[in-house]
Protein backbone atom coordinates (compact mmCIF):
# COMPACT_ATOMS: atom_id res chain seq x y z
CA UNK A 1 0.00 0.00 0.00
CA UNK A 2 1.31 3.44 -0.90
CA UNK A 3 1.27 5.93 1.97
CA UNK A 4 2.13 9.63 2.05
CA UNK A 5 2.31 12.09 4.95
CA UNK A 6 1.33 15.67 4.07
CA UNK A 7 3.00 18.32 6.22
CA UNK A 8 2.18 22.01 5.65
CA UNK A 9 4.97 24.36 6.72
CA UNK A 10 5.49 28.02 7.42
CA UNK A 11 8.70 28.97 9.23
CA UNK A 12 9.50 25.46 10.46
CA UNK A 13 13.26 25.52 9.93
CA UNK A 14 13.84 24.35 13.52
CA UNK A 15 11.78 21.19 12.95
CA UNK A 16 11.71 20.24 9.28
CA UNK A 17 14.99 18.34 8.93
CA UNK A 18 14.37 16.27 12.07
CA UNK A 19 10.82 15.55 10.90
CA UNK A 20 12.10 14.34 7.53
CA UNK A 21 14.57 12.00 9.23
CA UNK A 22 11.89 10.63 11.55
CA UNK A 23 9.21 9.98 8.91
CA UNK A 24 11.68 8.52 6.42
CA UNK A 25 12.98 6.07 9.05
CA UNK A 26 9.58 4.61 9.99
CA UNK A 27 8.85 0.98 9.17
CA UNK A 28 6.37 0.52 6.34
CA UNK A 29 7.82 3.23 4.08
CA UNK A 30 5.84 6.40 4.48
CA UNK A 31 6.50 8.96 1.74
CA UNK A 32 6.32 12.66 2.58
CA UNK A 33 4.91 15.75 0.89
CA UNK A 34 5.86 19.15 2.32
CA UNK A 35 3.64 22.06 1.33
CA UNK A 36 5.52 25.26 2.10
CA UNK A 37 3.78 28.63 1.98
CA UNK A 38 6.79 30.77 1.14
CA UNK A 39 8.55 30.46 4.50
CA UNK A 40 11.00 33.36 4.80
CA UNK A 41 13.16 31.40 7.24
CA UNK A 42 14.46 28.98 4.59
CA UNK A 43 12.30 25.92 5.35
CA UNK A 44 11.91 25.12 1.63
CA UNK A 45 15.67 25.35 1.04
CA UNK A 46 16.25 22.70 3.69
CA UNK A 47 13.70 20.39 2.04
CA UNK A 48 15.29 20.86 -1.38
CA UNK A 49 18.68 19.85 0.00
CA UNK A 50 17.26 16.76 1.69
CA UNK A 51 15.42 15.62 -1.47
CA UNK A 52 18.71 14.46 -2.95
CA UNK A 53 18.91 11.85 -0.15
CA UNK A 54 15.44 10.39 -0.54
CA UNK A 55 14.53 10.76 -4.20
CA UNK A 56 10.84 10.31 -5.02
CA UNK A 57 9.92 9.60 -1.39
CA UNK A 58 10.38 13.25 -0.34
CA UNK A 59 8.37 15.80 -2.30
CA UNK A 60 7.46 19.46 -1.97
CA UNK A 61 4.90 21.93 -3.27
CA UNK A 62 5.98 25.56 -2.88
CA UNK A 63 3.30 28.24 -2.71
CA UNK A 64 3.62 31.98 -2.58
CA UNK A 65 2.44 33.36 0.75
CA UNK A 66 0.22 32.02 3.54
CA UNK A 67 -2.83 30.63 1.72
CA UNK A 68 -4.40 28.74 4.60
CA UNK A 69 -4.13 25.30 6.14
CA UNK A 70 -7.19 23.98 4.34
CA UNK A 71 -6.02 24.96 0.87
CA UNK A 72 -2.63 23.39 1.59
CA UNK A 73 -4.20 20.05 2.45
CA UNK A 74 -6.59 20.18 -0.51
CA UNK A 75 -3.59 20.72 -2.81
CA UNK A 76 -1.87 17.80 -1.13
CA UNK A 77 -4.90 15.53 -1.44
CA UNK A 78 -5.13 16.22 -5.16
CA UNK A 79 -1.42 15.58 -5.58
CA UNK A 80 -1.70 12.26 -3.72
CA UNK A 81 -4.74 11.09 -5.69
CA UNK A 82 -2.99 11.83 -8.97
CA UNK A 83 -0.12 9.60 -7.85
CA UNK A 84 -2.29 6.69 -6.73
CA UNK A 85 -1.58 6.76 -3.01
CA UNK A 86 -3.78 4.41 -0.99
CA UNK A 87 -3.57 6.29 2.32
CA UNK A 88 -2.94 9.97 2.94
CA UNK A 89 -2.00 11.39 6.34
CA UNK A 90 -2.19 14.90 7.79
CA UNK A 91 0.36 15.87 10.42
CA UNK A 92 1.93 18.99 11.93
CA UNK A 93 5.64 19.64 11.53
CA UNK A 94 6.30 20.69 15.13
CA UNK A 95 6.27 17.20 16.74
CA UNK A 96 3.09 17.94 18.64
CA UNK A 97 1.97 14.81 16.80
CA UNK A 98 4.27 11.85 17.42
CA UNK A 99 5.34 10.44 14.02
CA UNK A 100 5.48 6.96 15.55
CA UNK A 101 1.68 7.11 15.83
CA UNK A 102 1.40 7.12 12.03
CA UNK A 103 1.70 3.35 12.15
CA UNK A 104 -1.18 3.11 14.64
CA UNK A 105 -3.43 5.27 12.46
CA UNK A 106 -2.51 3.14 9.45
CA UNK A 107 -3.29 -0.07 11.33
CA UNK A 108 -6.75 1.27 12.23
CA UNK A 109 -7.36 2.25 8.60
CA UNK A 110 -6.41 -1.25 7.46
CA UNK A 111 -9.13 -2.60 9.77
CA UNK A 112 -11.75 -0.93 7.58
CA UNK A 113 -11.87 2.74 8.60
CA UNK A 114 -12.07 5.34 5.84
CA UNK A 115 -11.01 8.21 8.14
CA UNK A 116 -8.92 7.67 11.27
CA UNK A 117 -8.47 10.54 13.73
CA UNK A 118 -5.50 10.79 16.09
CA UNK A 119 -7.61 11.86 19.06
CA UNK A 120 -6.57 13.81 22.17
CA UNK A 121 -9.92 13.28 23.87
CA UNK A 122 -11.23 9.80 23.06
CA UNK A 123 -9.64 8.42 26.26
CA UNK A 124 -9.73 11.30 28.71
CA UNK A 125 -7.54 14.32 27.98
CA UNK A 126 -4.07 13.60 26.57
CA UNK A 127 -2.39 16.97 26.10
CA UNK A 128 1.02 18.01 27.44
CA UNK A 129 2.37 21.53 28.03
CA UNK A 130 -0.74 23.51 27.10
CA UNK A 131 -1.89 26.36 29.33
CA UNK A 132 -5.22 25.58 30.96
CA UNK A 133 -7.00 28.30 28.95
CA UNK A 134 -6.03 26.76 25.62
CA UNK A 135 -6.77 23.24 26.79
CA UNK A 136 -10.25 24.22 27.91
CA UNK A 137 -10.90 26.09 24.64
CA UNK A 138 -9.88 23.06 22.56
CA UNK A 139 -11.73 20.51 24.71
CA UNK A 140 -15.00 22.41 24.81
CA UNK A 141 -14.70 23.28 21.11
CA UNK A 142 -14.86 19.55 20.37
CA UNK A 143 -17.82 19.19 22.75
CA UNK A 144 -19.49 22.10 20.95
CA UNK A 145 -18.96 20.45 17.56
CA UNK A 146 -20.52 17.19 18.79
CA UNK A 147 -23.49 19.10 20.17
CA UNK A 148 -24.15 21.08 16.99
CA UNK A 149 -23.41 18.42 14.38
CA UNK A 150 -24.17 15.16 16.27
CA UNK A 151 -21.00 13.77 14.69
CA UNK A 152 -19.63 10.86 16.75
CA UNK A 153 -16.05 12.15 16.95
CA UNK A 154 -14.45 13.21 20.24
CA UNK A 155 -11.70 15.37 18.69
CA UNK A 156 -13.25 17.06 15.67
CA UNK A 157 -10.56 19.77 15.47
CA UNK A 158 -7.69 17.25 15.38
CA UNK A 159 -5.09 17.75 12.68
CA UNK A 160 -3.57 14.25 12.88
CA UNK A 161 -5.68 12.22 10.46
CA UNK A 162 -5.46 9.33 8.00
CA UNK A 163 -7.72 9.35 4.93
CA UNK A 164 -8.17 6.38 2.67
CA UNK A 165 -8.11 6.91 -1.06
CA UNK A 166 -11.79 5.99 -1.11
CA UNK A 167 -12.58 8.81 1.33
CA UNK A 168 -10.74 11.46 -0.67
CA UNK A 169 -12.34 10.27 -3.89
CA UNK A 170 -15.80 10.40 -2.31
CA UNK A 171 -15.55 13.88 -0.73
CA UNK A 172 -16.06 16.77 -3.15
CA UNK A 173 -12.85 18.68 -2.44
CA UNK A 174 -14.09 21.61 -4.54
CA UNK A 175 -16.97 22.11 -2.10
CA UNK A 176 -14.80 22.43 1.03
CA UNK A 177 -15.20 25.99 2.28
CA UNK A 178 -13.23 26.52 5.48
CA UNK A 179 -9.53 27.33 5.23
CA UNK A 180 -8.26 27.43 8.82
CA UNK A 181 -8.72 24.87 11.59
CA UNK A 182 -12.41 24.73 10.71
CA UNK A 183 -11.24 22.76 7.68
CA UNK A 184 -10.49 19.83 9.96
CA UNK A 185 -14.05 19.84 11.30
CA UNK A 186 -15.59 20.22 7.85
CA UNK A 187 -13.66 17.30 6.37
CA UNK A 188 -14.63 14.92 9.17
CA UNK A 189 -18.24 16.06 9.14
CA UNK A 190 -18.49 15.67 5.36
CA UNK A 191 -17.01 12.19 5.52
CA UNK A 192 -19.48 11.19 8.22
CA UNK A 193 -22.48 12.60 6.35
CA UNK A 194 -21.45 10.69 3.24
CA UNK A 195 -21.51 7.43 5.16
CA UNK A 196 -17.77 6.88 5.33
CA UNK A 197 -16.47 4.91 8.30
CA UNK A 198 -14.74 7.03 10.95
CA UNK A 199 -12.49 5.84 13.76
CA UNK A 200 -10.38 7.40 16.51
CA UNK A 201 -7.02 6.31 17.92
CA UNK A 202 -5.93 7.78 21.25
CA UNK A 203 -2.74 9.84 21.01
CA UNK A 204 -0.76 12.12 23.32
CA UNK A 205 -0.48 15.66 21.98
CA UNK A 206 2.62 17.61 23.07
CA UNK A 207 2.85 21.37 22.56
CA UNK A 208 5.60 22.46 20.19
CA UNK A 209 9.05 23.18 21.60
CA UNK A 210 10.47 24.98 18.57
CA UNK A 211 8.90 27.69 16.38
CA UNK A 212 5.68 29.62 16.86
CA UNK A 213 2.06 28.46 16.94
CA UNK A 214 -0.10 29.34 13.91
CA UNK A 215 -3.33 29.65 15.94
CA UNK A 216 -5.07 33.04 15.76
CA UNK A 217 -8.37 34.60 16.77
CA UNK A 218 -9.54 34.73 13.15
CA UNK A 219 -8.90 31.03 12.68
CA UNK A 220 -10.86 30.22 15.84
CA UNK A 221 -13.81 32.40 14.81
CA UNK A 222 -14.01 30.76 11.38
CA UNK A 223 -14.30 27.37 13.05
CA UNK A 224 -16.80 28.58 15.66
CA UNK A 225 -19.26 30.14 13.25
CA UNK A 226 -18.60 27.75 10.38
CA UNK A 227 -19.74 24.82 12.51
CA UNK A 228 -23.17 26.41 12.94
CA UNK A 229 -23.69 26.28 9.19
CA UNK A 230 -22.60 22.68 8.63
CA UNK A 231 -25.90 20.96 9.55
CA UNK A 232 -27.69 23.28 7.12
CA UNK A 233 -25.51 22.44 4.16
CA UNK A 234 -26.37 19.96 1.46
CA UNK A 235 -23.55 17.39 1.38
CA UNK A 236 -22.89 15.69 -1.92
CA UNK A 237 -20.26 13.19 -2.91
CA UNK A 238 -17.80 13.90 -5.66
CA UNK A 239 -19.25 13.32 -9.12
Amino acid sequence: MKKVVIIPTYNEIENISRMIDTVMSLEGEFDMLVIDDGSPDGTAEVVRKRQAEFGSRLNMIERQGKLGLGTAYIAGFRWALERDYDYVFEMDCDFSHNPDDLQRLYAAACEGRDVVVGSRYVCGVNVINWPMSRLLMSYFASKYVRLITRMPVHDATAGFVCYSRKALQTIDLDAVQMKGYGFQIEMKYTAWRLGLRLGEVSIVFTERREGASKMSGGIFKEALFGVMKLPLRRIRSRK
Side-chain angles (χ1 to χ4, degrees), residues 9 18 20 24 38 44 48 67 72 119 124 137 145 158-159 172 187 189-190 198 202 221 225 233 236:
T9 57
R18 186 161 62 100
I20 291 170
M24 291 292 109
R48 279 195 290 272
L67 302 177
S119 176
M137 180 179 72
V145 172
D172 184 357
M187 285 290 294
Y189 178 76
T190 301
L198 276 62
S202 181
K221 288 179 181 177
F225 294 109
R233 288 177 52 187
R236 294 180 177 176

Side-chain angles (χ1 to χ4, degrees), residues 4-220:
V4 63
V5 183
I6 301 175
I7 301 183
T9 57
Y10 184 79
N11 286 350
E12 292 288 356
I13 197 166
E14 297 98 336
N15 298 305
I16 187 60
S17 192
R18 186 161 62 100
M19 179 58 74
I20 291 170
D21 286 335
T22 305
V23 172
M24 291 292 109
S25 67
L26 292 173
E27 293 184 8
E29 195 166 290
F30 291 80
D31 293 349
M32 186 168 166
L33 171 65
V34 176
I35 303 181
D36 188 73
D37 274 5
S39 298
D41 70 347
T43 299
E45 285 80 354
V46 172
V47 178
R48 279 195 290 272
K49 290 177 182 178
R50 301 302 307 274
Q51 283 180 304
E53 300 175 45
F54 298 105
S56 61
R57 291 190 59 206
L58 177 58
N59 304 274
M60 180 168 59
I61 295 174
E62 294 185 68
R63 309 196 303 172
Q64 298 303 312
K66 297 178 71 173
L67 302 177
L69 182 75
T71 64
Y73 278 127
I74 292 295
F77 294 158
R78 296 187 191 284
W79 182 95
L81 289 173
E82 289 171 359
R83 288 158 181 80
D84 297 323
Y85 280 96
D86 300 293
Y87 293 98
V88 181
F89 299 78
E90 300 178 353
M91 190 174 72
D92 292 345
C93 190
D94 59 11
F95 287 89
S96 54
H97 303 137
N98 185 346
D100 291 340
D101 287 331
L102 287 166
Q103 293 168 322
R104 297 175 59 229
L105 267 64
Y106 174 60
C110 289
E111 291 174 356
R113 301 291 187 268
D114 300 303
V115 180
V116 181
V117 179
S119 176
R120 297 162 290 187
Y121 307 128
V122 72
C123 294
V125 177
N126 295 313
V127 177
I128 298 174
N129 292 337
W130 262 7
M132 184 58 67
S133 59
R134 186 173 179 188
L135 176 57
L136 290 174
M137 180 179 72
S138 173
Y139 179 77
F140 284 107
S142 285
K143 292 288 188 181
Y144 164 77
V145 172
R146 281 172 64 91
L147 177 66
I148 297 297
T149 66
R150 306 296 181 183
M151 177 172 59
V153 173
H154 291 84
D155 194 356
T157 63
F160 195 16
V161 187
C162 171
Y163 290 96
S164 69
R165 180 176 183 83
K166 173 187 173 182
L168 295 180
Q169 287 179 321
T170 301
I171 295 170
D172 184 357
L173 299 178
D174 290 329
V176 177
Q177 297 179 7
M178 288 190 262
K179 297 182 179 180
Y181 283 85
F183 164 83
Q184 303 291 4
I185 302 169
E186 184 176 357
M187 285 290 294
K188 297 176 185 70
Y189 178 76
T190 301
W192 175 61
R193 284 281 303 274
L194 291 173
L196 294 166
R197 292 164 293 182
L198 276 62
E200 289 184 271
V201 170
S202 181
I203 65 160
V204 175
F205 180 97
T206 304
E207 174 65 330
R208 67 161 59 236
R209 295 180 180 178
E210 304 289 345
S213 173
K214 310 303 187 293
M215 177 61 76
S216 69
I219 288 173
F220 180 74

